[in-house]
């Protein structure tokens, strides 16, 4: 049984196959490869993109999707997550897609070996399908030539599961990653180049991945006033000038704190391309886990 907890569970050959499937699905929607398969989504944290994207991907492949809203489930009556999961598995789904604030929840459920588990975001540990769709967006833009590309990740890196998964996957693919953040947002132990000022990297990067301040993970407020943070880290026209740097963001974007209104409308901004690619990449992931594996 193959699960997807982070991308290190995928071989290079599987990632190549995923990207080839995503490319084909984007060119032309496939026949219903997962007709009559059933997926359950179980999101213990809020989501716009990931949950909808998985649901659209599953439906594009002919699968059925049932969503359990944990806020209205029997976890509210004291049932453990493991028991909730076991009960859902007893209904015979072909896979369960889980998001949770704890780093180890998807891996613990996967260890029960009841159905394939797909991690849709766990704590600050991993968000594998976001990393895959980010990499696919770069792969498409740079026509497969990723070795030596330079990516700067800017923002609340220490609290970001997207940053954690991106860093692991990008470095494996030969992409050079640097980190730009104020001290409280910088991971304490990293061998990656670190910068406090965004101006220091602008002439040396091909891509900037901007991140939202993950306020829900801050035990106490880190900045009283995010306008001061925005003055230093918001991606603006004044900052970029005419540099051909691609701008990415996993969403949700805090407008004019992470990225300015003007840059969100700029052709260099890939935010909606990432979302579009996410559906095709997740279709490829579902095919891999439910059909090919
Ligand atoms: N990128 C991402 O995980 O967005 P959502 O939180 O809206 O799913």
């Amino acid at each position: 049984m193959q699960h997807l907890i982070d991308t290190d569970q995928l071989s290079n050959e599987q990632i190549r196959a995923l990207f080839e499937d995503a490319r084909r699905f984007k060119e032309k929607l496939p026949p219903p490869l997962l007709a009559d398969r059933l997926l359950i989504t179980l999101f213990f944290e809020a989501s716009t993109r990931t949950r909808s994207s998985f649901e659209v991907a599953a439906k594009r492949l002919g699968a059925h999707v049932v969503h359990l809203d944990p806020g209205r489930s029997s976890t509210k009556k004291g049932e453990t997550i493991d028991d909730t999961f076991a009960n859902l598995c007893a209904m015979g789904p072909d896979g369960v897609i889980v998001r949770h604030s704890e780093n180890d929840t998807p891996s613990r459920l996967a260890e029960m070996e009841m159905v394939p588990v797909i991690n849709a975001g766990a704590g600050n540990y991993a968000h594998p399908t976001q990393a895959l769709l980010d990499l696919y967006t770069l792969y498409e833009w740079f026509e497969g030539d990723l070795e030596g590309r330079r990516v700067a990740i800017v923002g609340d890196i220490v609290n970001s599961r997207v940053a954690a998964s991106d860093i692991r996957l990008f470095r494996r693919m030969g992409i050079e990653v640097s980190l730009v953040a104020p001290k409280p947002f910088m991971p304490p132990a990293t061998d990656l180049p670190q910068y406090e000022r965004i101006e220091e990297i602008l002439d040396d990067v091909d891509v900037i991945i901007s991140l939202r301040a993950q306020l829900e993970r801050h035990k106490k407020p880190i900045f009283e006033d995010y306008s001061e943070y925005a003055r230093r880290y918001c991606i603006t026209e004044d900052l970029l000038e005419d540099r051909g740097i691609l701008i990415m963001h996993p969403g949700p974007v805090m407008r004019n704190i992470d990225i300015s209104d003007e840059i969100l409308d700029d052709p260099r901004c890939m935010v909606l391309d990432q979302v579009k690619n996410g559906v095709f990449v997740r279709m490829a992931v579902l095919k891999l886990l439910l059909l090919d594996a």
Side-chain angles (χ1 to χ4, degrees), residues 33 36 47 64 72 77-78 94 100 106 123 146 158 186 193 204 229 271:
L33 301 172
D36 298 328
S47 170
H64 303 288
R72 292 174 176 275
K77 302 177 196 163
D94 296 285
H100 199 272
L146 292 175
V158 70
M186 194 65 88
D204 299 308
Y229 170 85
V271 170

Side-chain angles (χ1 to χ4, degrees), residues 23-246:
R23 189 195 62 74
R24 285 192 299 115
F25 296 160
K26 193 172 179 179
E27 212 170 80
K28 185 175 184 296
L29 285 176
L33 301 172
L34 299 182
D36 298 328
R37 302 296 179 100
L38 174 65
L39 285 157
I40 296 182
T41 57
L42 184 55
F43 278 57
F44 289 89
E45 284 189 334
S47 170
T48 294
R49 280 145 291 272
T50 312
R51 183 184 149 194
S52 315
S53 179
F54 266 117
E55 195 159 333
V56 171
K59 290 182 175 178
R60 292 261 189 254
L61 291 169
H64 303 288
V65 182
V66 168
H67 177 66
L68 178 74
D69 176 1
R72 292 174 176 275
S73 77
S74 290
T75 54
K76 290 283 166 203
K77 302 177 196 163
E79 187 171 58
T80 68
I81 294 172
D82 296 27
D83 285 340
T84 299
F85 175 75
N87 278 268
L88 293 176
C89 290
M91 299 176 200
D94 296 285
V96 176
I97 300 165
V98 185
R99 168 171 287 191
H100 199 272
S101 59
E102 297 290 334
N103 287 2
D104 66 350
T105 299
S107 55
R108 203 183 63 247
L109 300 180
E111 279 163 17
M112 293 164 75
E113 291 293 341
M114 297 183 83
V115 292
V117 171
I118 302 175
N119 174 11
N124 69 352
Y125 160 61
H127 193 343
T129 56
Q130 182 70 44
L132 287 166
L133 76 89
D134 287 348
L135 185 71
Y136 181 79
T137 302
L138 296 178
Y139 178 85
E140 195 178 52
W141 182 267
F142 293 115
E143 298 177 344
D145 183 15
L146 292 175
E147 182 82 30
R149 297 289 172 192
R150 300 158 305 170
V151 174
I153 302 181
V154 177
D156 188 0
I157 301 163
V158 70
N159 289 299
S160 171
R161 53 194 172 214
V162 175
S165 279
D166 276 355
I167 290 168
R168 288 190 283 271
L169 183 61
F170 288 9
R171 293 182 88 182
R172 174 176 163 192
M173 295 296 158
I175 294 172
E176 294 171 19
V177 180
S178 53
L179 309 180
V180 182
K183 280 200 174 70
F185 285 174
M186 194 65 88
T190 174
D191 58 347
L192 292 170
Q194 298 178 31
Y195 303 90
E196 262 197 81
R197 294 178 62 247
I198 203 164
E199 289 83 357
E200 293 177 84
I201 52 93
L202 282 176
D203 291 319
D204 299 308
V205 292
D206 304 300
V207 180
I208 289 175
I209 298 183
S210 168
L211 299 172
R212 174 180 68 93
Q214 314 268 305
L215 302 180
E216 69 276 23
R217 292 188 218 293
H218 299 170
K219 290 191 176 67
K220 54 183 177 34
I222 292 180
F223 295 103
E224 273 180 26
D225 177 5
Y226 272 87
S227 59
E228 174 57 17
Y229 170 85
R231 200 179 59 70
R232 294 175 60 197
Y233 296 99
C234 185
I235 312 298
T236 62
E237 275 180 336
D238 283 351
L239 198 67
L240 284 189
E241 298 177 330
D242 59 358
R243 295 177 181 91
I245 301 173
L246 287 192

